Amino acid sequence: QVQLQESGPGLVKPSQTLSLTCTVSGGSINNGGYYWTWIRQHPGKGLEWIGNIFYTGSTYYNPSLKGRITMSVDTSKNQFSLKLNSVTAADTAVYYCARDNTIRGLIMVWGQGTLVTASS
Amino acid sequence: QSALTQPPSASGSPGQSVTISCTGTSSDVGGYNDVSWYQQHPGKAPKLMIYEVTRRPSGVPDRFSGSKSGNTASLTVSGLQAEDEADYYCSSYEGSNTVVFGGGTKVTVL
């Protein structure tokens, strides 16, 4: 079955850019119909939808984060990525990549999550 | 995008039922039948328990059920078991290809 794995630095300095990659295994990212999604969870807090990307490159972002987010997809590597610029301590969270079946929040497949800390 | 409102906690004894609410607006919960519920155990990724308000993915016990009335969706766990102790999150489609989550409810099995 499809599995997702996040990778990237666990520590980012304030004002710099957070960069994460999600590698998809067990299936092709080109398999249309799925929306490749990023979600984060601040320590001890709830889930926050960040945005998603279709394999064609179409993106949809959380309006509260728009302007700081860039998502991209690399179909040749079966990966999709998140960049969040101008990070502050408030961006410290566990970041999950996930697969949405419908763009409407039907998320059956999740990565294990990776903690990113924004600190000097 | 405002988070959906969930009670911070809920509890019940083994075998009892517990119901968790998820309140939004006519622009999200009330406007679409795209409410999902996720279960999250400590240190683990969330797991989909209910989608499209009432549907259960394969493998989810039928003790878990969902419903919706107006702007409020609900998750009911019947016949509570020790392994049901977890955090539960609702989510809803809110149009414009965006999704919003609830703040989460910690369910304790007494």
Side-chain angles (χ1 to χ4, degrees), chain B residues 32-109:
Chain B
Y32 305 95
N33 287 323
D34 294 292
V35 175
S36 298
W37 289 92
Y38 299 88
Q39 176 191 66
Q40 186 181 37
H41 287 110
K44 301 294 187 182
K47 174 187 175 184
L48 182 68
M49 305 302 283
I50 295 288
Y51 67 97
E52 293 174 0
V53 180
T54 61
R55 297 179 179 231
R56 271 190 315 275
S58 174
V60 172
D62 60 6
R63 302 185 292 103
F64 291 85
S65 62
S67 63
K68 189 182 84 167
S69 177
N71 297 337
T72 298
S74 298
L75 173 72
T76 297
V77 185
S78 305
L80 266 176
Q81 298 184 4
E83 60 261 36
D84 300 332
E85 185 161 296
D87 294 325
Y88 291 82
Y89 295 91
C90 62
S91 75
S92 175
Y93 182 66
E94 55 172 4
S96 301
N97 298 323
T98 60
V99 173
V100 62
F101 282 97
T105 298
K106 181 176 180 60
V107 169
T108 301
V109 181

Side-chain angles (χ1 to χ4, degrees), chain A residues 57-97:
Chain A
S58 297
T59 54
Y60 303 99
Y61 299 149
N62 184 327
S64 68
L65 296 171
K66 213 169 184 176
R68 292 205 295 140
I69 309 174
T70 303
M71 292 185 186
S72 59
V73 61
D74 187 335
T75 55
S76 67
K77 294 183 179 178
N78 228 28
Q79 295 176 333
F80 61 104
S81 298
L82 168 70
K83 290 188 186 300
L84 178 66
N85 59 34
S86 305
V87 300
T88 70
D91 295 309
T92 293
V94 173
Y95 286 77
Y96 293 99
C97 61

Side-chain angles (χ1 to χ4, degrees), chain B residues 2-4 22-32 70-72 92-94:
Chain B
S2 298
L4 306 175
C22 170
T23 301
T25 69
S26 58
S27 296
D28 39 58
V29 174
Y32 305 95
N71 297 337
T72 298
S92 175
Y93 182 66
E94 55 172 4

Side-chain angles (χ1 to χ4, degrees), chain A residues 39-48 50 92-96 115, chain B residues 40 44 46 87 89:
Chain A
I39 291 160
R40 69 180 182 180
Q41 186 169 32
H42 296 102
K45 302 295 184 183
L47 301 169
E48 180 181 21
I50 297 173
T92 293
V94 173
Y95 286 77
Y96 293 99
L115 175 63
Chain B
Q40 186 181 37
K44 301 294 187 182
D87 294 325
Y89 295 91

